[in-house]
Amino acid sequence: MSRPLEGLKVLELARILAGPWAGQTLADLGADVVKVESPEGDDTRTWGPPFVEAADGGNLSAAYFHACNRGKRSITADFTTPAGQALVRDLAASADVVIENFKVGGLKKYGLDHASLKQINPRLIYCSITGFGQDGPYASRAGYDFLIQGMAGAMSITGDPEGQPTKTGYAMADLFSGLYATIGILASLRKHDETGEGAYIDCALMDSQVAVLANQAMNYLVSGKSPQRLGNAHPNITPYEVFPVADGHVIIAVGNDGQFRRLCHAINRSDLAEAAEYQTNALRVKNRGELVPALTSATLKFDRATLLKLLEDATVPGGPINTIGDVFGDPQVQHRGMRLDLPSEAAAAGSIPGVRTPLLINGQPMADPRPSPRLGEHAAEVAGDPLWTRPAAG
């Protein structure tokens, strides 16, 4: 079965994470993504250790680079030179999509901004990913995931209430921006199919992080009160957090009254199930200060495996807190084929590991078989590709 975006030509002028994440997602869906790097390469090639070991004894770039550049072809171009600018313009004339994440106005001086490329390819879908968007008082600032998580409120609701505000353990603002950019590109392609028109997509890390505040944003907008850090607790549901057991911790995620009653019976606290002050979720949230310690005294009497089995038998949502190593050893993750091992003669191990895009379409996993490219690996191949040397189809 062919993948849905086969035949789509994407020119990626992006580096670090948000733009490359969008490019990798499109590549996994079947697009031909040509990544244009500076002669020095994408910054993340050096963001290690760890590095993927090369068969010749060197390395094939940092693991970070491979996390977001699978399925692409790499060429190099120096945007500051007429030759580099001409190369990008020639490719843009044939492309369906351009993705870039330079600072606002950063490509205009090279004639590679949307207004310039639109003149040579009016049907081009051009996606700009920046920290703060193309306009507004912060438009000229560089955007970094860590700063955005703080500025957009995410850190104010993450972490222990007695400790520091905390960022997530992964680049949430960058990754969500990459996904929103992908959504915008796909929507624009749908419109392009109808009208033949191009589009300009303005995607900002700040906007994306604010957007995914979701229920926490609505909690503020409805109540007028800024949500606070609750550690692992949920602002709108109780009990929905981490509980200690005799040999570690488990997650208990009760989502309705029936689950709460079954939880209480499973841990031998039927009295809590019958208590008037815990009969509804609203009451449990109101009285969480008394309820959570009572539940904790009960969970501490069990070891992790025993409690998780009791929860499963009672159909109460619960689970372990896995390390990343545990995740890739989990039978469900293995069954779903989330780990990729892509053959590579250049790699010392003979393959480069990765994680597939979490999409199955008609039963087929969306994963490009091409490993992340070496710097400039495909210069000759792209130069001789007839699909990239003629105007984009309407």
Side-chain angles (χ1 to χ4, degrees), residues 143 300 305:
L300 281 168

PDB file of all heavy atoms in Angstrom, residues 143 300 305:
ATOM      1  N   GLY A 143      13.024  32.294  19.671  1.00  0.00           N
ATOM      2  CA  GLY A 143      12.197  31.480  20.545  1.00  0.00           C
ATOM      3  C   GLY A 143      12.886  30.176  20.904  1.00  0.00           C
ATOM      4  O   GLY A 143      13.377  29.465  20.024  1.00  0.00           O
ATOM      5  N   LEU A 300      -0.121   2.008  50.741  1.00  0.00           N
ATOM      6  CA  LEU A 300       1.173   1.647  51.303  1.00  0.00           C
ATOM      7  C   LEU A 300       1.218   0.217  51.832  1.00  0.00           C
ATOM      8  O   LEU A 300       2.307  -0.328  52.069  1.00  0.00           O
ATOM      9  CB  LEU A 300       1.556   2.625  52.421  1.00  0.00           C
ATOM     10  CG  LEU A 300       2.118   3.980  51.958  1.00  0.00           C
ATOM     11  CD1 LEU A 300       2.174   4.959  53.112  1.00  0.00           C
ATOM     12  CD2 LEU A 300       3.504   3.786  51.344  1.00  0.00           C
ATOM     13  N   ALA A 305       3.201  -4.662  42.262  1.00  0.00           N
ATOM     14  CA  ALA A 305       2.589  -5.673  41.400  1.00  0.00           C
ATOM     15  C   ALA A 305       1.222  -6.104  41.920  1.00  0.00           C
ATOM     16  O   ALA A 305       0.274  -6.270  41.140  1.00  0.00           O
ATOM     17  CB  ALA A 305       3.524  -6.883  41.288  1.00  0.00           C
TER      18      ALA A 305
END
